[in-house]
Amino acid sequence: MLIGDNYNSLFFDIVSSWSNPLVLTFFISVIVILLLYFTNRYIVKPLEQKHIQEKKDIELKNSKLMAQFAELDPDPVLRVDYEGTVNFFNNAAYFLLKIETGKNITGSLFNISIPELQRKINSNESHSFSFLFNGVHYNVLLKGNAELGIAQFYLRDISDIKNLEIKLKQLSTYLQNQIDEERFRIAHELHDGAVQDLYFVQLGLRKISEESAQNITDLITPLKEQLENTTEELRRIIYDLKPKILDEMGLEPALRTLCNNISKESGILGSIQIVGLNQRLEKKVEIYFYRLAQEALTNIVKHSGATEFSIILVRDKDILRTIITDNGCGMAERNQNKPQNRGFGLLNMKERTEGFGGKLKIDSSEADGSTLIAEIPYSQA
């Protein structure tokens, strides 16, 4: 028994001795584990929790700031999370879209998928697209924010811009139609006038080549008259396109020549009176008044059934005013009889007048005929 006790005592001494590497290793391991435990619990964990809390506080602060700015924005603003669920909207967005917190808007409101939304948030991407709601055009700016895990939608009403684009397209189409109509008119006049006359001259020349010498004189005389008529017709067409007298002598001689030609061709008695213009106007203004008178007199000749017309052009202080009257059937009767011509000439006059900052007015009755009054500022001249 003593030998066994001695062995046990010796084993215990060896195991518990600090000189034993195993004992020393075990003790150091315990110390390290305890140090790691206390370091993680009382240093690392508190710092991690503090960092998480600070991050949450920063996100909350940013969210509050964004919300305050969004509230002040008169345009609709709304915010969604990764799943497209609304977590904020300002008053403008509520009154426009009637949305509520917790509503998913990716499919029901904006045509954007959840994966696409998440990609834009994670990449801090900005994207704009058009949005039509209740007949109103909006431009929507989507801005992703990866730090906050949100996307904000900013809506701006661009109906005025869209309407302007539509009007510009309509105006472009109208102008192109006017150009096409003018080309057709010129081609029609050339074909029915000068081209036909030249064709008859061509036939006459062929006939001359087939006749004997004694008959040539009799054949040349009508051809000469035909060529003179053709030349006169071409001169008339060119004059209508660009009256030479307007460039060389000015507005008053050009208007008097226009009135005389209209009266001579139509048999309608015309008069013209110009007051207060002692000097030439700018070229674009002279062309405007000339084309205005030309369009008005053409309508009178074609549609009014008038026997008289008059043109008055007067400078009244800072206003240039032209008054064109006739004793015809009036606009209502003209439009009823010629619906295919309704509006085009008047629309052209109105647009050209407004282009100079002026205004156009037309008074018309079946009993008293029509009166056209166009005014533009003299400063434009």
Side-chain angles (χ1 to χ4, degrees), residues 56-247:
K56 289 183 178 180
D57 292 341
I58 292 174
E59 291 178 353
L60 180 61
K61 183 178 180 180
N62 287 337
S63 298
K64 289 180 178 180
L65 288 174
M66 293 172 67
Q68 289 176 354
F69 283 119
E71 284 289 351
L72 295 175
D73 197 328
D75 294 322
V77 178
L78 59 99
R79 183 189 310 139
V80 300
D81 59 18
Y82 273 104
E83 301 302 321
T85 303
V86 177
N87 54 33
F88 170 80
F89 52 85
N90 65 359
N91 291 332
Y94 173 76
F95 288 118
L96 173 67
L97 305 173
K98 304 302 182 203
I99 57 176
E100 298 177 354
T101 301
K103 180 179 179 179
N104 191 291
I105 53 87
T106 53
S108 60
L109 188 61
F110 300 124
N111 187 21
I112 182 172
S113 64
I114 292 179
E116 183 181 4
L117 176 67
Q118 293 173 349
R119 180 178 60 81
K120 293 183 184 299
I121 293 175
N122 291 330
S123 60
N124 291 316
E125 184 178 343
S126 295
H127 171 65
S128 63
F129 56 92
S130 298
F131 175 61
L132 181 63
F133 188 77
N134 290 338
V136 180
H137 293 275
Y138 293 91
N139 180 70
V140 181
L141 176 63
L142 185 160
K143 297 186 70 173
N145 189 317
E147 293 183 1
L148 301 180
I150 62 170
Q152 292 216 138
F153 294 83
Y154 302 87
L155 284 74
R156 188 169 298 278
D157 186 351
I158 58 170
S159 296
D160 291 341
I161 297 176
K162 283 290 184 181
N163 292 333
L164 181 59
E165 290 178 355
I166 293 172
K167 289 181 179 179
L168 287 175
K169 289 180 181 179
Q170 292 174 343
L171 177 59
S172 177
T173 301
Y174 168 75
L175 291 177
Q176 187 59 51
N177 290 337
Q178 290 294 97
I179 292 173
D180 292 339
E181 288 183 8
E182 188 65 15
R183 287 174 176 170
F184 177 80
R185 184 188 68 80
I186 295 172
H188 183 74
E189 289 196 20
L190 289 173
H191 178 271
D192 292 348
V195 173
Q196 294 296 328
D197 292 340
L198 291 174
Y199 178 70
F200 287 126
V201 172
Q202 182 182 13
L203 292 179
L205 291 174
R206 289 178 182 175
K207 190 174 182 180
I208 288 175
S209 65
E210 298 171 357
E211 293 291 335
S212 59
Q214 60 268 21
N215 296 326
I216 290 179
T217 303
D218 295 336
L219 295 174
I220 288 180
T221 301
L223 292 180
K224 179 182 177 182
E225 294 177 355
Q226 193 71 46
L227 284 173
E228 290 176 352
N229 292 335
T230 302
T231 302
E232 187 62 30
E233 178 71 10
L234 289 173
R235 285 176 178 171
R236 183 190 65 79
I237 294 173
I238 293 172
Y239 180 85
D240 286 342
L241 293 175
K242 186 178 180 182
K244 189 176 181 181
I245 190 173
L246 182 63
D247 285 337

